[in-house]
Amino acid sequence: MDKTFSNKLLLFLPAVVSGLLIVLSFPLFDLYALAWIAFVPLLCSFWEKDWKESFQSGFIFGLVYFFGTLYWIYHSINHFGGISFITSLIIVLFLSAYLSLFTALFSALFSLSYRKTRFPAFFVAPVLWVSIEFLRSYAMTGFPWSSIGYSQYRFLPLIQIADITGIYGISFLVLAFNGAVTDLVLLRKRLKEMPLFPLFYITTGVISLTLLLLAVVGYGFWRLHEVRPGRAVPVSVVQGNIDQDKKWDPSFQNEVMNIYTSLSQEALKADPALIIWPETAVPFFFNADPDFSSRLLQFQRQTGAWLLFGSVLLKKPSPAGQELSNSAVLLDREGKNIYTYDKIHLVPFGEYVPLRKVL
């Protein structure tokens, strides 16, 4: 093997290892504890790299991380979009490459700031990562999928803090812990290069982070076991498990409605106060299709329960054509529309086409 090529492999091996550890921390593997050390190989490797090599490492890390957690998108493109298997994988690879630009930017900025300043990694890494993760969630309409905080969905005591910080608070904690481990691993090298480096930064940081994590987990246990005012309300959740290619086929409209109404009839045995159907559950435009809308309302009034369901709604006409929304509709026991919520952060291509004139 060419020596230059083997050196390149070794140069980017930590990025691949970190990417694989992140993939293992997400479903289907769900080894969420790995996320707390997954970034350490990547962050430590930046000590020997300039910002350009760090940018490249961050890009490779992102390719492994995003393709490993978003590969399943190919199925929708292939099965419902009619695009070949290979082409659909290439499209997902391009999506992963775009998202990897954000991890590459994080890597370059971390490399520049960590090596040349006295800021510890447990501070630099979470601040940069969360800032860029937030940017990724909104730039070019945003793509917030696979945020690091989502890997902790099984760690219930920790994630209760999300009611205050949102998902970004969870990502911050995970990156801060990775940064603290990185500080400890690189401490000897940092002292050798910077003999007057204040250990006070590291020791107080590790102590502060430990206390913060204990406080967050303590808050989580309190929230999980909190006695709340009011009374328990029985809720029935109905999932039709209907193929996407059947859902909007007019010949299957009756079948789809029969599935949801029959399942709801079964759920009524538990005497629920509220029945919940999924996103875009009904195979018609609610209120725009008088026959199916009337059928739905008639059934719902007979249940004696509130109904929350998803529907595509027909809004006012626009110059470009009919304006549609992906909405959640809440009906009271009498079938009155109490509240409608229109989704505002839409999924690219799934719910709208970005750069429509070009694409």
Side-chain angles (χ1 to χ4, degrees):
M1 183 182 291
D2 182 72
K3 190 174 181 180
T4 305
F5 180 72
S6 61
N7 288 340
K8 281 288 185 182
L9 283 178
L10 290 174
L11 188 67
F12 298 123
L13 182 60
V16 175
V17 171
S18 286
L20 289 174
L21 289 174
I22 289 295
V23 172
L24 291 174
S25 69
F26 276 84
L28 300 167
F29 303 99
D30 274 333
L31 303 174
Y32 63 87
L34 291 178
W36 296 85
I37 57 167
F39 286 86
V40 174
L42 179 71
L43 297 178
C44 288
S45 71
F46 294 151
W47 188 262
E48 307 294 339
K49 296 181 175 73
D50 58 27
W51 73 269
K52 292 181 181 179
E53 291 174 331
S54 298
F55 184 92
Q56 293 169 354
S57 291
F59 186 81
I60 291 171
F61 162 74
L63 280 179
V64 178
Y65 161 26
F66 289 115
F67 190 82
T69 55
L70 298 173
Y71 69 90
W72 50 270
I73 296 176
Y74 89 89
H75 179 75
S76 296
I77 301 171
N78 172 237
H79 188 71
F80 300 113
I83 295 175
S84 70
F85 173 74
I86 298 299
T87 305
S88 62
L89 284 179
I90 292 173
I91 290 173
V92 177
L93 189 61
F94 271 108
L95 171 63
S96 302
Y98 162 70
L99 297 174
S100 297
L101 293 175
F102 292 95
T103 56
L105 176 62
F106 160 79
S107 300
L109 292 176
F110 179 88
S111 178
L112 286 170
S113 56
Y114 185 61
R115 190 74 184 271
K116 296 184 179 181
T117 68
R118 297 186 176 187
F119 289 120
F122 76 82
F123 173 78
V124 177
V127 169
L128 286 176
W129 182 270
V130 170
S131 299
I132 292 173
E133 196 170 75
F134 181 84
L135 177 65
R136 176 167 70 86
S137 298
Y138 291 95
M140 298 287 290
T141 72
F143 197 90
W145 297 7
S146 290
S147 294
I148 291 299
Y150 292 131
S151 68
Q152 303 303 301
Y153 76 98
R154 288 180 177 268
F155 195 169
L156 294 183
L158 178 89
I159 64 173
Q160 302 308 308
I161 197 68
D163 66 351
I164 299 173
T165 66
I167 188 65
Y168 304 107
I170 312 301
S171 296
F172 186 96
L173 292 172
V174 173
L175 265 293
F177 189 89
N178 277 274
V181 176
T182 301
D183 284 325
L184 295 175
V185 172
L186 294 178
L187 183 57
R188 184 175 294 181
K189 289 183 178 180
R190 206 167 195 189
L191 287 172
K192 184 177 180 180
E193 188 166 305
M194 196 183 296
L196 297 179
F197 178 78
L199 287 174
F200 173 79
Y201 290 172
I202 305 296
T203 54
T204 56
V206 170
I207 293 172
S208 299
L209 179 59
T210 302
L211 293 174
L212 177 60
L213 287 171
L214 289 173
V216 167
V217 172
Y219 173 79
F221 275 111
W222 172 69
R223 290 292 281 173
L224 288 170
H225 298 91
E226 182 183 7
V227 178
R228 301 172 185 267
R231 60 182 179 83
V233 176
V235 176
S236 292
V237 179
V238 175
Q239 174 57 268
N241 192 26
I242 298 165
D243 291 343
Q244 287 291 99
D245 51 355
K246 290 183 178 180
K247 187 173 179 180
W248 293 104
D249 187 334
S251 63
F252 285 97
Q253 278 182 305
N254 279 308
E255 181 180 335
V256 172
M257 285 301 297
N258 288 337
I259 289 173
Y260 278 109
T261 54
S262 61
L263 288 174
S264 298
Q265 287 283 8
E266 283 292 310
L268 288 175
K269 294 176 182 178
D271 193 25
L274 171 68
I275 298 174
I276 300 177
W277 292 358
E279 179 185 23
T280 60
V282 297
F284 58 91
F285 297 169
F286 181 66
N287 278 343
D289 186 318
D291 293 334
F292 275 102
S293 297
S294 176
R295 175 181 168 183
L296 171 61
L297 291 172
Q298 184 178 359
F299 166 78
Q300 188 265 329
R301 292 189 190 103
Q302 293 172 354
T303 65
W306 292 52
L307 176 65
L308 177 65
F309 65 97
S311 174
V312 176
L313 298 184
L314 185 61
K315 301 292 185 176
K316 60 183 179 182
S318 68
Q322 296 288 1
E323 184 179 318
L324 307 176
S325 67
N326 183 4
S327 304
V329 180
L330 178 63
L331 304 179
D332 68 8
R333 289 184 177 89
E334 286 73 42
K336 294 179 181 177
N337 188 342
I338 299 299
Y339 193 80
T340 300
Y341 171 78
D342 299 333
K343 187 175 179 183
I344 58 175
H345 199 160
L346 303 180
V347 178
F349 299 104
E351 294 172 321
Y352 80 102
V353 179
L355 305 175
R356 179 183 292 270
K357 291 183 179 179
V358 177
L359 300 178

